[in-house]
Amino acid sequence: MSKLIGRRGTLAGAAAAGLAMPMLGRVAMAAPRQVKIGAVLPISGPNAAVGIGMMNAMDLAVRQINASGKLADLQFELMKLDDHSLPSEGVAAVTRAASDPAVLACSAHWNSPVALATRDVFQRRGLANLNPCAINWKITAEQKGDEIFRIAPSDLWQLEMAAKMPFTTLGKKTYFLIDDNTNYGKSLVTAFDENAVKAGGSKLGADSIAVGEKDFTAVLTKAKSLKPDVIFFGGVTTEAALLRQQMVRLEVPALYYTGSGTMTPTYVEAAGAAADGTYAFFYGLPYDATPGGAAFIEAYKKAGYDKPYETYGLIAYAAIEAVTQAVAKAASAGEPTRKGVVDALKSGTFTTALGPLSFPRPGDAAQKVLAFYVVKGGKWTLTHYSKPDGAIVVAERQSVWDLPWK
């Protein structure tokens, strides 16, 4: 945009000097092509903090792209819509975005149930959606067309990698499973169990607790008697923290391992000193270990948003980078179309703050990584990460996942 302003200034000066430049004047003064990108996220409701952080990051990306003037004469606008983390609201929001012909692509949804509910709308309207972080494998694998793309690796892949890490990398042999008796917790331990056996692990036992329960002495005493190398918990923060505290009090020596739903500062605060030694997996490296993470953090601070970018801000920012580059690629052959953007996302490789991204069939990013963290000194600290060939390696440096989560 600054280059366009500069050209206008030069032409204005020439006109003031009485130089006749009508043709050049019309070219230079031509308005940039306006393109809308739908941004559909939970910016109200129980997940508003996450959604607002992502929306701010997307807004920052659009502002920087427009200011840079790098994508020809294209200027982008976000259509910001709220899905409330509800499938019905997501369908309504995506339908609204798809009804605007100026919207050529979307980056939509944090929640998997919402992302699953809106697939048919995107496909009926031929509108690309680059989902930043909903992980249910069906979102891409079972889509009817080819309009849905995703940056985050699927839950099935994550659990395959997560389950083998203690056995192939840390030398552990046996495990005990505890779930919180929810669909989420049970599905987590079921998938872990299947993949742990494939990786050479041996299950010694399993048990369930209830959400809201406070005393886990019986379950942990049972586990301790079996002497597992690993206790894997399928659940989220509150019960995870209580289990860890009671493990330490009962002197259960097993490695305590949980899923990404526990990898929060809230867990560390709730578990206190007992949190140290807890392992968890999460898709994505600390921001300072990504190509554009440090620059993103600095730019976000300077932009003055009143809410933090939260865990998924950089992923949301990268999604907009990829989508706008896809629009530019579609525009290189003439006026960009929705189909052109879909085709560009299917075939292109895009430069983003996360590094290069490409989306082969069925639409998942080829460049996927799972990282492993341990609480050390009250901080989630990177210890290992996966390579493209599936190998899990020790991190070159122990970066701390230290984000403004609150």
Side-chain angles (χ1 to χ4, degrees), residues 204-229:
L204 299 183
D207 211 332
S208 297
I209 62 171
V211 173
E213 192 177 347
K214 303 295 183 185
D215 185 358
F216 307 123
T217 302
V219 171
L220 290 171
T221 299
K222 173 183 174 182
K224 183 179 179 180
S225 70
L226 296 172
K227 300 180 180 180
D229 296 326

Side-chain angles (χ1 to χ4, degrees), residues 39-56:
V40 189
L41 296 164
I43 52 177
S44 67
N47 300 307
V50 171
I52 290 170
M54 293 174 68
M55 189 70 80
N56 287 346

Side-chain angles (χ1 to χ4, degrees), residues 284-298 309 311 314 353-354 373 380-382 395-404:
L285 298 169
Y287 282 18
D288 68 358
T290 64
F296 165 78
I297 292 170
E298 186 62 28
Y309 48 81
T311 315
L314 187 61
L354 295 173
Y373 298 82
W380 286 106
T381 304
L382 179 70
E396 293 84 357
R397 58 192 179 94
Q398 293 194 333
S399 299
V400 172
W401 188 277
D402 190 14
L403 301 178

Side-chain angles (χ1 to χ4, degrees), residues 106 119-131 143-150 338-339 342 345-346 361-363:
C106 287
R119 286 182 308 175
D120 286 349
V121 180
F122 285 113
Q123 284 153 1
R124 284 197 307 271
R125 301 300 185 95
L127 182 63
N129 179 32
L130 177 51
N131 186 295
Q143 64 171 312
K144 296 175 183 176
D146 52 7
E147 290 80 11
I148 311 300
F149 305 87
R150 174 170 54 191
R338 290 180 175 180
K339 183 179 186 304
V342 171
L345 284 168
K346 287 164 61 177
R361 292 285 297 168

Side-chain angles (χ1 to χ4, degrees), residues 37 39 53-71 74-78 80 107 295-296 299-300 303 305 309 313-325 351-353:
I37 304 296
M54 293 174 68
M55 189 70 80
N56 287 346
M58 290 183 178
D59 179 79
L60 176 63
V62 166
R63 290 181 184 216
Q64 290 185 316
I65 290 162
N66 285 341
S68 74
K70 291 180 179 179
L71 296 184
L74 297 168
Q75 287 283 295
F76 295 92
E77 175 189 341
L78 276 189
K80 301 176 183 178
S107 186
F296 165 78
Y300 193 97
Y305 296 105
Y309 48 81
L314 187 61
I315 302 172
Y317 181 92
I320 295 301
E321 289 182 302
V323 165
T324 53
Q325 288 171 46
T351 302
T352 78

Side-chain angles (χ1 to χ4, degrees), residues 161-183:
M161 299 299 296
K164 75 179 188 178
M165 197 277 284
F167 310 105
T168 63
T169 307
L170 300 182
K172 305 302 182 183
K173 302 295 184 186
T174 60
Y175 60 95
F176 186 93
L177 301 172
I178 302 175
D179 67 74
D180 65 357
N181 212 29
T182 65
N183 287 336

